[in-house]
Amino acid sequence: MSKILAFAGSNSSTSINFQLVKHTISLIEGHNIQVMNMALYDLPMFSEDHEKEFGYTNSLAELRDDIRNCDGLLLSVNEHNNNPSAYFKNLIDWLSRLERNFLENTKIFLMSTSPGRRGASSSLAKTEDMLPRFGGEIIATFSLPSFNHTFSSGDGITDSEKAKEHKQALGKWLNSLGE
């Protein structure tokens, strides 16, 4: 049984990316899944001065350990002004200072969604380029555009083509994890 860590790169209590993460994990069977709600995860803005004075929080070290101990990471990133959110970038900055290759040997299913027609595709592309620098392996990606029109809390992804694309990407990633 593979260990999966799942979270969204958003700290919003109403994150649509976290809704996509929860929907995606509801489709997974036979794996040990740990879900993190990043809205409950407080992290100061990174600065070298803060790092020198206070070091690293226990919760940051625990998150690093959770990533290190998982076989696969399921991550959905939000987008602010065509970039990953400041919250997500800050999280990556902290993790990479704690341990440069914090994603080493981690197989990643990278997703994104937004209310717009591009589905946070700019953030997805920038994150897809960034994460391998820390040792992660992007196995599959998926972007869901027009979240308010293509997703229902009760039914999940309502656009049949996008639902099929999501299922295929998820299957590719799960197959890479093995048993």
Side-chain angles (χ1 to χ4, degrees), residues 33-104:
I33 303 170
Q34 177 184 355
V35 183
M36 294 186 66
N37 180 351
M38 298 310 280
L40 305 175
Y41 195 86
D42 190 28
L43 193 61
M45 196 56 125
F46 176 79
S47 77
E48 288 182 6
D49 294 336
H50 190 283
E51 179 186 32
K52 286 176 187 171
E53 185 173 348
F54 301 106
Y56 306 104
T57 64
N58 288 341
S59 56
L60 182 68
E62 289 169 3
L63 175 58
R64 186 252 348 250
D65 292 346
D66 288 341
I67 292 171
R68 183 186 295 152
N69 294 326
C70 75
D71 299 303
L73 177 63
L74 190 154
L75 173 64
S76 189
V77 292
N78 58 333
E79 183 172 287
H80 294 166
N81 300 317
N82 291 334
N83 286 291
S85 68
Y87 176 81
F88 181 68
K89 176 65 170 70
N90 187 53
L91 178 66
I92 296 301
D93 290 344
W94 274 111
L95 285 166
S96 67
R97 292 294 288 210
L98 184 60
E99 183 175 331
R100 174 70 182 169
N101 287 323
F102 68 95
L103 289 171
E104 191 167 10

Coordinates of all heavy atoms in Angstrom, one line a residue, residues 33-104:
I33 N -3.7 7.4 2.6 CA -3.8 8.8 2.2 C -3.8 9.7 3.4 O -4.6 9.6 4.3 CB -5.0 9.1 1.3 CG1 -5.0 8.2 0.1 CG2 -5.0 10.6 0.9 CD1 -6.3 8.2 -0.7
Q34 N -2.9 10.7 3.4 CA -2.9 11.8 4.4 C -3.2 13.1 3.7 O -2.6 13.5 2.8 CB -1.5 11.9 5.1 CG -1.4 13.0 6.1 CD 0.1 13.1 6.6 OE1 1.0 12.4 6.3 NE2 0.3 14.2 7.4
V35 N -4.3 13.7 4.2 CA -4.7 15.0 3.6 C -4.4 16.1 4.6 O -4.7 16.0 5.8 CB -6.3 14.9 3.4 CG1 -6.7 16.2 2.7 CG2 -6.7 13.7 2.5
M36 N -3.9 17.2 4.0 CA -3.5 18.3 4.8 C -4.3 19.5 4.3 O -4.3 19.8 3.1 CB -2.0 18.7 4.7 CG -1.1 17.6 5.3 SD 0.6 18.1 5.3 CE 0.5 19.5 6.4
N37 N -5.0 20.2 5.3 CA -5.7 21.4 4.9 C -4.8 22.6 5.3 O -4.5 22.9 6.4 CB -7.0 21.5 5.8 CG -7.8 22.8 5.5 OD1 -7.3 23.7 4.8 ND2 -9.0 22.8 6.0
M38 N -4.2 23.2 4.2 CA -3.2 24.2 4.4 C -3.8 25.5 5.1 O -3.0 26.4 5.5 CB -2.5 24.5 3.1 CG -1.7 23.3 2.6 SD -0.7 22.4 3.8 CE 0.8 23.5 3.7
A39 N -5.1 25.7 5.1 CA -5.7 26.8 5.8 C -5.4 26.8 7.3 O -5.5 27.8 7.9 CB -7.2 26.9 5.5
L40 N -5.1 25.6 7.8 CA -4.8 25.4 9.2 C -3.3 25.5 9.5 O -2.8 25.3 10.6 CB -5.3 24.0 9.7 CG -6.8 23.8 9.4 CD1 -7.2 22.4 9.8 CD2 -7.6 24.8 10.1
Y41 N -2.5 25.7 8.5 CA -1.0 25.7 8.6 C -0.5 27.1 8.5 O -0.4 27.7 7.4 CB -0.5 24.8 7.4 CG 0.9 24.3 7.6 CD1 1.3 23.2 8.3 CD2 2.0 25.1 7.0 CE1 2.6 22.8 8.4 CE2 3.3 24.7 7.1 CZ 3.6 23.5 7.8 OH 4.9 23.1 7.9
D42 N -0.1 27.6 9.6 CA 0.4 29.0 9.6 C 1.9 29.0 9.4 O 2.7 28.2 10.1 CB 0.1 29.6 11.0 CG 0.3 31.1 11.0 OD1 0.3 31.8 10.0 OD2 0.6 31.6 12.1
L43 N 2.4 29.8 8.6 CA 3.8 29.9 8.2 C 4.2 31.4 8.0 O 3.6 32.1 7.2 CB 4.1 29.1 7.0 CG 5.5 28.8 6.6 CD1 6.1 27.9 7.7 CD2 5.5 28.0 5.3
P44 N 5.2 31.9 8.7 CA 5.6 33.2 8.5 C 6.2 33.4 7.1 O 6.7 32.5 6.5 CB 6.7 33.5 9.6 CG 7.2 32.1 9.9 CD 6.1 31.2 9.7
M45 N 6.2 34.7 6.7 CA 6.9 35.0 5.4 C 8.4 34.7 5.5 O 9.0 35.1 6.5 CB 6.6 36.4 5.0 CG 6.8 36.7 3.6 SD 5.9 35.6 2.6 CE 5.0 36.7 1.6
F46 N 8.9 34.0 4.5 CA 10.3 33.7 4.6 C 11.2 34.9 4.5 O 11.0 35.8 3.6 CB 10.7 32.7 3.5 CG 12.2 32.4 3.5 CD1 12.7 31.5 4.4 CD2 13.1 33.1 2.6 CE1 14.1 31.3 4.4 CE2 14.4 32.9 2.7 CZ 14.9 32.0 3.6
S47 N 12.2 35.0 5.3 CA 13.3 35.9 5.2 C 14.5 35.3 5.9 O 14.4 34.5 6.8 CB 13.0 37.3 5.8 OG 13.1 37.2 7.2
E48 N 15.7 35.7 5.4 CA 16.9 35.1 6.0 C 17.0 35.6 7.4 O 17.5 34.8 8.3 CB 18.1 35.5 5.1 CG 18.2 34.8 3.8 CD 19.4 35.1 3.0 OE1 20.3 35.9 3.5 OE2 19.5 34.7 1.9
D49 N 16.6 36.8 7.7 CA 16.7 37.3 9.1 C 15.8 36.5 10.0 O 16.2 36.1 11.1 CB 16.2 38.8 9.1 CG 17.2 39.7 8.4 OD1 18.4 39.3 8.2 OD2 16.8 40.8 7.9
H50 N 14.6 36.2 9.6 CA 13.7 35.4 10.4 C 14.3 34.0 10.6 O 14.2 33.4 11.7 CB 12.3 35.3 9.7 CG 11.3 34.7 10.6 ND1 11.2 33.3 10.8 CD2 10.3 35.2 11.4 CE1 10.2 33.1 11.6 NE2 9.6 34.2 12.0
E51 N 14.8 33.4 9.5 CA 15.4 32.1 9.6 C 16.6 32.1 10.6 O 16.7 31.1 11.4 CB 15.9 31.7 8.2 CG 16.6 30.3 8.1 CD 17.2 30.1 6.7 OE1 17.6 31.0 6.0 OE2 17.2 28.9 6.4
K52 N 17.4 33.1 10.5 CA 18.6 33.1 11.5 C 18.1 33.3 12.9 O 18.7 32.7 13.8 CB 19.5 34.3 11.1 CG 20.3 34.0 9.8 CD 21.1 35.2 9.5 CE 21.8 35.0 8.1 NZ 22.4 36.2 7.6
E53 N 17.1 34.1 13.1 CA 16.7 34.4 14.5 C 15.8 33.3 15.1 O 16.0 32.9 16.3 CB 15.9 35.7 14.5 CG 15.5 36.1 15.9 CD 14.9 37.5 16.0 OE1 14.9 38.2 15.0 OE2 14.3 37.8 17.1
F54 N 15.0 32.7 14.3 CA 14.0 31.7 14.9 C 14.2 30.3 14.3 O 13.6 29.4 14.9 CB 12.6 32.2 14.5 CG 12.2 33.5 15.1 CD1 12.1 34.6 14.3 CD2 12.0 33.7 16.5 CE1 11.8 35.9 14.8 CE2 11.7 35.0 17.0 CZ 11.6 36.1 16.1
G55 N 14.9 30.1 13.3 CA 15.1 28.8 12.7 C 13.8 28.3 12.1 O 13.1 29.1 11.5
Y56 N 13.6 27.0 12.2 CA 12.5 26.3 11.5 C 11.5 25.8 12.5 O 11.9 25.3 13.6 CB 13.0 25.1 10.7 CG 14.1 25.5 9.7 CD1 15.4 25.2 10.0 CD2 13.8 26.3 8.6 CE1 16.4 25.6 9.1 CE2 14.8 26.6 7.7 CZ 16.1 26.3 7.9 OH 17.1 26.7 7.1
T57 N 10.2 25.9 12.2 CA 9.2 25.5 13.1 C 9.1 24.0 13.1 O 9.5 23.3 12.1 CB 7.8 26.0 12.7 OG1 7.5 25.5 11.4 CG2 7.8 27.6 12.6
N58 N 8.6 23.4 14.1 CA 8.4 22.0 14.2 C 7.4 21.5 13.1 O 7.6 20.4 12.5 CB 7.9 21.5 15.6 CG 8.9 21.6 16.6 OD1 10.1 21.6 16.4 ND2 8.5 21.7 17.9
S59 N 6.4 22.3 12.8 CA 5.4 21.9 11.8 C 6.0 21.9 10.4 O 5.6 21.1 9.6 CB 4.2 22.8 11.9 OG 4.5 24.2 11.7
L60 N 7.0 22.8 10.2 CA 7.7 22.7 8.9 C 8.5 21.5 8.7 O 8.5 20.8 7.7 CB 8.5 24.0 8.7 CG 9.3 24.1 7.4 CD1 8.3 24.3 6.2 CD2 10.3 25.2 7.4
A61 N 9.2 21.1 9.8 CA 10.0 19.9 9.8 C 9.1 18.7 9.7 O 9.4 17.7 9.0 CB 10.9 19.8 11.1
E62 N 7.9 18.7 10.3 CA 7.0 17.6 10.2 C 6.5 17.5 8.8 O 6.3 16.3 8.3 CB 5.8 17.8 11.2 CG 6.3 17.6 12.6 CD 5.2 18.0 13.6 OE1 4.1 18.4 13.2 OE2 5.5 17.9 14.9
L63 N 6.2 18.6 8.1 CA 5.7 18.6 6.8 C 6.8 18.0 5.8 O 6.5 17.2 5.0 CB 5.3 20.0 6.3 CG 4.9 20.1 4.8 CD1 3.7 19.1 4.5 CD2 4.5 21.5 4.5
R64 N 8.0 18.4 6.0 CA 9.1 17.9 5.3 C 9.2 16.4 5.5 O 9.4 15.6 4.5 CB 10.4 18.6 5.7 CG 11.7 18.2 4.9 CD 12.7 17.3 5.5 NE 12.7 17.0 6.9 CZ 13.5 17.5 7.8 NH1 14.5 18.3 7.4 NH2 13.4 17.2 9.1
D65 N 9.1 15.9 6.7 CA 9.1 14.5 7.0 C 8.0 13.8 6.3 O 8.1 12.6 5.8 CB 9.2 14.2 8.5 CG 10.5 14.7 9.1 OD1 11.4 15.0 8.4 OD2 10.5 14.8 10.4
D66 N 6.8 14.4 6.4 CA 5.6 13.7 5.7 C 5.9 13.6 4.2 O 5.5 12.6 3.6 CB 4.4 14.6 5.9 CG 3.8 14.5 7.4 OD1 4.2 13.5 8.1 OD2 3.1 15.4 7.8
I67 N 6.5 14.6 3.6 CA 6.8 14.5 2.2 C 7.8 13.5 1.9 O 7.7 12.7 1.0 CB 7.3 15.9 1.6 CG1 6.1 16.9 1.7 CG2 7.8 15.8 0.2 CD1 6.5 18.4 1.4
R68 N 8.9 13.5 2.8 CA 10.0 12.5 2.6 C 9.4 11.1 2.7 O 9.9 10.2 2.1 CB 11.0 12.8 3.7 CG 12.2 11.8 3.5 CD 13.2 12.0 4.7 NE 13.8 13.3 4.7 CZ 14.2 13.9 5.8 NH1 14.1 13.3 7.0 NH2 14.8 15.1 5.7
N69 N 8.4 10.9 3.6 CA 7.9 9.5 3.9 C 6.8 9.1 3.0 O 6.3 7.9 3.1 CB 7.5 9.4 5.3 CG 8.7 9.5 6.3 OD1 9.8 9.1 6.0 ND2 8.4 10.2 7.4
C70 N 6.4 9.9 2.1 CA 5.3 9.5 1.2 C 5.9 9.0 -0.1 O 7.0 9.3 -0.5 CB 4.3 10.7 0.9 SG 4.9 11.9 -0.3
D71 N 5.1 8.1 -0.8 CA 5.5 7.6 -2.1 C 5.0 8.5 -3.2 O 5.6 8.6 -4.3 CB 4.8 6.2 -2.3 CG 5.3 5.2 -1.3 OD1 6.5 5.0 -1.2 OD2 4.5 4.7 -0.5
G72 N 3.9 9.2 -2.9 CA 3.4 10.1 -3.9 C 2.8 11.4 -3.3 O 2.2 11.3 -2.2
L73 N 2.9 12.5 -4.0 CA 2.3 13.7 -3.6 C 1.2 14.1 -4.6 O 1.5 14.2 -5.8 CB 3.4 14.8 -3.5 CG 3.0 16.2 -3.2 CD1 2.4 16.3 -1.8 CD2 4.2 17.2 -3.3
L74 N 0.0 14.4 -4.1 CA -1.1 14.9 -4.9 C -1.2 16.4 -4.5 O -1.5 16.7 -3.3 CB -2.3 14.1 -4.6 CG -3.5 14.3 -5.5 CD1 -4.4 13.1 -5.5 CD2 -4.3 15.6 -5.1
L75 N -1.0 17.3 -5.4 CA -1.0 18.7 -5.1 C -1.8 19.5 -6.2 O -1.6 19.2 -7.4 CB 0.5 19.1 -5.2 CG 0.8 20.6 -5.1 CD1 0.4 21.2 -3.8 CD2 2.3 20.8 -5.3
S76 N -2.6 20.4 -5.7 CA -3.3 21.3 -6.6 C -2.9 22.7 -6.3 O -3.1 23.2 -5.1 CB -4.8 21.1 -6.5 OG -5.5 21.8 -7.5
V77 N -2.4 23.4 -7.3 CA -2.0 24.8 -7.0 C -3.0 25.8 -7.6 O -3.5 25.7 -8.6 CB -0.6 25.1 -7.7 CG1 0.5 24.2 -6.9 CG2 -0.5 24.7 -9.1
N78 N -3.1 26.9 -6.8 CA -4.0 28.0 -7.2 C -3.1 29.0 -8.0 O -1.9 28.9 -8.1 CB -4.7 28.6 -6.0 CG -3.7 29.1 -4.9 OD1 -2.6 28.6 -4.8 ND2 -4.1 30.1 -4.2
E79 N -3.8 30.1 -8.4 CA -3.1 31.1 -9.2 C -3.5 32.5 -8.8 O -4.7 32.7 -8.6 CB -3.4 30.9 -10.7 CG -2.7 31.8 -11.6 CD -2.9 31.4 -13.1 OE1 -2.3 30.3 -13.5 OE2 -3.6 32.1 -13.8
H80 N -2.5 33.3 -8.6 CA -2.7 34.8 -8.4 C -1.9 35.5 -9.4 O -0.7 35.4 -9.5 CB -2.3 35.2 -7.0 CG -3.1 34.5 -5.9 ND1 -2.7 34.6 -4.6 CD2 -4.3 33.9 -5.9 CE1 -3.6 33.9 -3.8 NE2 -4.6 33.5 -4.6
N81 N -2.6 36.3 -10.3 CA -1.9 37.1 -11.3 C -0.9 36.2 -12.1 O 0.3 36.6 -12.3 CB -1.1 38.3 -10.7 CG -2.1 39.2 -9.9 OD1 -3.2 39.5 -10.4 ND2 -1.7 39.6 -8.7
N82 N -1.4 35.1 -12.6 CA -0.6 34.2 -13.5 C 0.6 33.5 -12.8 O 1.4 33.0 -13.5 CB -0.2 34.9 -14.8 CG -1.3 35.3 -15.7 OD1 -2.4 34.6 -15.7 ND2 -1.1 36.3 -16.5
N83 N 0.6 33.5 -11.5 CA 1.7 32.9 -10.8 C 1.1 32.0 -9.7 O 0.0 32.2 -9.2 CB 2.6 33.9 -10.2 CG 3.5 34.6 -11.2 OD1 4.4 34.0 -11.8 ND2 3.2 35.9 -11.5
P84 N 2.0 31.1 -9.1 CA 1.5 30.4 -7.9 C 1.3 31.4 -6.8 O 2.0 32.5 -6.8 CB 2.7 29.5 -7.6 CG 3.5 29.3 -8.9 CD 3.3 30.6 -9.6
S85 N 0.4 31.2 -5.9 CA 0.2 32.1 -4.8 C 1.4 32.4 -4.0 O 2.3 31.6 -3.9 CB -1.0 31.6 -3.9 OG -0.5 30.5 -3.2
A86 N 1.4 33.5 -3.4 CA 2.5 33.9 -2.5 C 2.6 32.9 -1.3 O 3.7 32.5 -0.9 CB 2.3 35.3 -1.9
Y87 N 1.5 32.4 -0.9 CA 1.5 31.4 0.2 C 2.3 30.1 -0.3 O 3.1 29.6 0.5 CB 0.1 31.0 0.6 CG 0.1 29.9 1.6 CD1 0.3 30.2 3.0 CD2 -0.1 28.5 1.3 CE1 0.3 29.1 3.9 CE2 0.0 27.5 2.2 CZ 0.2 27.8 3.5 OH 0.2 26.8 4.5
F88 N 1.9 29.6 -1.5 CA 2.6 28.4 -1.9 C 4.1 28.6 -2.2 O 4.9 27.8 -1.8 CB 1.9 27.9 -3.2 CG 2.5 26.6 -3.7 CD1 2.4 25.4 -3.1 CD2 3.2 26.6 -4.9 CE1 3.0 24.3 -3.5 CE2 3.8 25.5 -5.4 CZ 3.7 24.3 -4.7
K89 N 4.4 29.7 -2.8 CA 5.8 30.0 -3.0 C 6.6 30.1 -1.7 O 7.7 29.7 -1.6 CB 5.9 31.4 -3.8 CG 7.3 31.8 -4.1 CD 8.1 30.9 -5.0 CE 9.5 31.5 -5.4 NZ 10.5 31.6 -4.4
N90 N 6.0 30.8 -0.7 CA 6.6 30.9 0.6 C 6.8 29.5 1.2 O 7.9 29.2 1.8 CB 5.7 31.7 1.5 CG 6.3 32.0 2.8 OD1 7.4 32.5 2.9 ND2 5.6 31.7 3.9
L91 N 5.8 28.6 1.1 CA 6.0 27.2 1.6 C 7.2 26.5 0.9 O 8.0 25.9 1.6 CB 4.7 26.4 1.3 CG 4.7 25.0 1.7 CD1 4.8 24.9 3.2 CD2 3.4 24.3 1.2
I92 N 7.3 26.7 -0.4 CA 8.4 26.1 -1.1 C 9.7 26.7 -0.7 O 10.7 26.0 -0.5 CB 8.2 26.2 -2.7 CG1 7.0 25.5 -3.1 CG2 9.5 25.8 -3.4 CD1 7.0 24.0 -2.9
D93 N 9.7 28.0 -0.5 CA 11.0 28.7 0.0 C 11.4 28.1 1.3 O 12.6 27.8 1.5 CB 10.8 30.2 0.1 CG 10.6 30.8 -1.2 OD1 11.0 30.2 -2.3 OD2 10.2 32.0 -1.3
W94 N 10.5 28.0 2.3 CA 10.8 27.4 3.6 C 11.3 26.0 3.5 O 12.3 25.6 4.1 CB 9.6 27.5 4.5 CG 9.5 28.8 5.2 CD1 8.6 29.8 5.0 CD2 10.4 29.3 6.3 NE1 8.8 30.8 5.9 CE2 9.9 30.6 6.6 CE3 11.5 28.9 6.9 CZ2 10.5 31.4 7.6 CZ3 12.1 29.6 7.9 CH2 11.6 30.9 8.2
L95 N 10.6 25.1 2.8 CA 10.9 23.7 2.7 C 12.3 23.6 2.0 O 13.1 22.7 2.4 CB 9.9 23.0 1.9 CG 8.6 22.7 2.6 CD1 7.5 22.2 1.7 CD2 8.8 21.6 3.7
S96 N 12.6 24.3 1.0 CA 13.9 24.2 0.3 C 15.0 24.7 1.1 O 16.2 24.3 0.9 CB 13.8 24.9 -1.1 OG 13.7 26.3 -0.9
R97 N 14.8 25.6 2.1 CA 15.8 26.1 3.0 C 16.1 25.0 4.0 O 17.2 24.8 4.5 CB 15.5 27.4 3.6 CG 15.4 28.5 2.7 CD 16.8 28.9 2.2 NE 17.6 29.5 3.2 CZ 18.6 30.3 3.0 NH1 18.8 30.7 1.8 NH2 19.3 30.8 4.0
L98 N 15.1 24.3 4.4 CA 15.2 23.3 5.4 C 16.0 22.1 4.9 O 16.9 21.5 5.5 CB 13.8 22.8 5.9 CG 13.7 21.8 7.0 CD1 14.4 22.3 8.3 CD2 12.3 21.5 7.3
E99 N 15.6 21.7 3.6 CA 16.3 20.7 2.9 C 16.2 20.9 1.4 O 15.0 20.8 0.9 CB 15.8 19.3 3.3 CG 16.5 18.1 2.7 CD 16.0 16.8 3.2 OE1 15.5 16.7 4.3 OE2 16.0 15.9 2.4
R100 N 17.2 21.1 0.7 CA 17.2 21.5 -0.7 C 16.4 20.5 -1.5 O 15.5 20.9 -2.3 CB 18.6 21.7 -1.3 CG 18.7 21.9 -2.7 CD 18.2 23.2 -3.1 NE 18.2 23.4 -4.6 CZ 17.7 24.4 -5.2 NH1 17.0 25.3 -4.6 NH2 17.8 24.4 -6.5
N101 N 16.7 19.2 -1.4 CA 16.0 18.2 -2.2 C 14.8 17.6 -1.4 O 14.7 16.3 -1.3 CB 16.9 17.1 -2.7 CG 17.8 17.7 -3.8 OD1 17.4 18.4 -4.6 ND2 19.1 17.3 -3.8
F102 N 14.0 18.4 -0.8 CA 12.9 17.9 0.0 C 11.9 17.0 -0.7 O 11.1 16.3 -0.1 CB 12.2 19.1 0.7 CG 11.4 20.0 -0.2 CD1 10.0 19.8 -0.4 CD2 12.0 21.0 -0.8 CE1 9.3 20.6 -1.2 CE2 11.3 21.9 -1.6 CZ 9.9 21.6 -1.8
L103 N 11.9 17.1 -2.1 CA 11.0 16.2 -2.9 C 11.7 15.0 -3.5 O 11.1 14.3 -4.3 CB 10.4 17.1 -4.0 CG 9.3 18.1 -3.5 CD1 9.0 19.0 -4.7 CD2 8.1 17.4 -3.0
E104 N 12.9 14.7 -3.1 CA 13.6 13.6 -3.7 C 12.9 12.3 -3.6 O 12.3 12.0 -2.6 CB 15.0 13.5 -3.0 CG 15.9 12.6 -3.7 CD 17.3 12.6 -3.2 OE1 17.6 13.2 -2.1 OE2 18.2 12.0 -3.8

